[in-house]
Every structure is written in structure tokens, then in C-alpha cells.
Amino acid sequence: MSLPPTILAGQSHFRELARIPVAHGELAAGRLYRSGDLVGLTDADLATLARLDVAQVIDLRSGEEQKTRPDKLPPGANLTAIAFLEGSLTSRDRVARFKSATLDDMKAMMVAVYRSLVRDYVGQWRQFFAALAATPGVTVFHCTAGKDRTGIGAALLLTALGASRDAVFADYLASGAHLATLRTMMADKLAPHGVDLDVIRPVLDVDVDYLAAAFDEIDAGWGGVEAYLEHALGIDRAALAERFVTVPR
């Protein structure tokens, strides 16, 4: 099915992860989608996911987010919940921090988050890749905005399948054009508490420095991304390639 960049009324950041050149072909169309949360989906959105034959949804949000803002799933789809980070972006503690922060504070926070996501959540990434490799059918994976936890997951997957670093970063940065749902939610939740949305702009966007920090952390801790993928995460590249790679005709 040919899809426009955004096809869901209730989530601006839903897009296909496909047609990106990898080691032995390209990512196949119609098998894998990345997204922000599926909390606000309409009935029409759920029907769209059903037409796409979505069989698995992998939720990378925190346990609190999963509990308080559960996904809406299309009929027959299985949910795999893998909790990354703690709390939520609109928790009381986060609001207090945002109110006293500067732009530099927020960028430094995001860099630290990206480093933590690859350093402190190795077990969760192992679960994520095992679920991707083992579960047949069309898969959607997501976090809250679809850019940070999801962005790292996509970057690691593309790297494991042999995509160039330029292609990895291009896919990551493409998220910046699809974040209306996140920005609306944050404005609704935070502006009434006096949070300056311009100050927290680094939280609401993607940045080359964030993903670069994640790869730097991998290099420092594991001596390179190949060792991280193979030894820390135990990725089954052959199974992932069978699921998601095709040879263009």
C-alpha cells in the first residue's frame, strides 16, 4: 500500500520504515512502522492500522506512561510492552525542572538521556530486537513522541542491517517534520503551569548531537557499535534481514 507521510488523525508521527538501502537490499515496504504513542487514535485510524495488517505493537514508553495512557490497538494486534525510562514528560517533577531550566540545560538533559538509553537499558534493547525478529506480521514500534527511544531503536536496527551512517541519521532527522502531536500535548499540559515552550524546545525536537551522543556512548563502553550489537544485544541479523529486507527488482 502506498502511504503519505502522515496517515493517522490521532498521531502525526506515524511513518513507514522502508526503502532504505541496507547491506543486502533495502528495507521492505509494508512490514515495519515507527510512531508516537497510539493513545489518541480515532476509529478511522484503527481501521487504517487494520488495513495495514498490523499484527504487533511494541510500546517502548515508561511503565507509568503505559499504565496511565494505554495504547489503542487494532483488532487482533498483540502488544509487547518494554519499559524504557521512568515517569513521563508531564510529571510534577519534570514540570518543576522545565520551569527553572535554560536552553542549554534542556539540550544537556537530552544528550544525557540518549547516552543513558544505550548504556542503561541493554536488557530492554535485547527484548526489543528479539520481538522484532521472532514475531511474524506487520510491526509498529513506538514511544511517546516516536523520536527518542523509537529513534534509537530505528538507528540500531538500520545499523545492524548494514545501512550507512548517513542513512541512519537521515531517518532519525526526518522525525522533526512529524512532531505536531507531541508539541500540542506538551503545550496543553505544560503552558498552564508557566513552562516556557521555547526554553524546552530541545525536548520537542530531534538533534544530530543527541543521536551522535548515543553512538559515542556505545563506542566508549563497547569499543564500537558492531560489538554492542553482537555481544551486548545479541542481535540475530539473519532473522531481522529475513523479516525486513528485500532485494529490489
Side-chain angles (χ1 to χ4, degrees):
M1 179 181 294
S2 179
L3 301 172
T6 299
I7 63 169
L8 302 180
Q11 176 52 255
S12 64
H13 194 189
F14 180 89
R15 57 191 177 92
E16 189 174 25
L17 196 57
R19 302 179 184 87
I20 297 172
V22 294
H24 301 291
E26 65 179 23
L27 285 190
R31 298 185 191 176
L32 188 62
Y33 299 85
R34 52 176 296 176
S35 183
D37 66 43
L38 307 182
V39 174
L41 299 191
T42 65
D43 289 344
D45 291 337
L46 293 172
T48 296
L49 295 186
R51 288 196 300 274
L52 295 175
D53 294 325
V54 171
Q56 174 180 224
V57 172
I58 304 176
D59 187 347
L60 306 180
R61 295 176 299 162
S62 70
E64 178 181 331
E65 291 171 306
Q66 293 169 4
K67 181 179 179 180
T68 60
R69 303 182 73 242
D71 280 337
K72 294 180 180 178
L73 302 178
N78 294 315
L79 176 65
T80 300
I82 306 172
F84 284 81
L85 303 178
E86 297 179 1
S88 72
L89 283 172
T90 57
S91 67
R92 183 177 300 177
D93 290 345
R94 293 281 174 83
V95 170
R97 182 175 183 180
F98 290 159
K99 288 177 70 173
S100 62
T102 66
L103 273 170
D104 288 343
D105 292 337
M106 291 292 92
K107 181 161 184 176
M109 182 190 80
M110 292 302 297
V111 166
V113 165
Y114 273 65
R115 288 184 176 275
S116 174
L117 281 168
V118 295
R119 182 186 64 239
D120 301 328
Y121 295 89
V122 169
Q124 285 89 333
W125 288 123
R126 290 181 70 95
Q127 293 176 57
F128 171 68
F129 283 103
L132 281 182
T135 304
V138 177
T139 295
V140 175
F141 67 101
H142 77 85
C143 52
T144 301
K147 68 183 182 73
D148 302 319
R149 291 161 284 195
T150 300
I152 290 176
L156 293 174
L157 173 64
L158 289 170
T159 300
L161 293 175
S164 70
R165 187 60 62 91
D166 284 348
V168 169
F169 273 81
D171 175 72
Y172 168 73
L173 291 172
S175 291
H178 300 279
L179 298 175
T181 298
L182 169 70
R183 290 166 182 153
T184 298
M185 179 191 77
M186 295 292 276
D188 290 345
K189 298 283 188 181
L190 299 180
H193 296 283
V195 174
D196 185 341
L197 298 181
D198 286 335
V199 170
I200 66 165
R201 189 169 66 251
V203 179
L204 307 180
D205 211 342
V206 289
D207 190 310
V208 168
D209 291 344
Y210 302 165
L211 189 58
F215 281 113
D216 287 346
E217 188 69 25
I218 289 170
D219 290 344
W222 286 270
V225 70
E226 292 302 315
Y228 181 75
L229 294 171
E230 182 174 351
H231 301 301
L233 304 191
I235 285 180
D236 187 339
R237 296 176 199 245
L240 291 170
E242 183 176 353
R243 286 269 286 118
F244 300 116
V245 176
T246 189
V247 178
R249 294 182 180 180

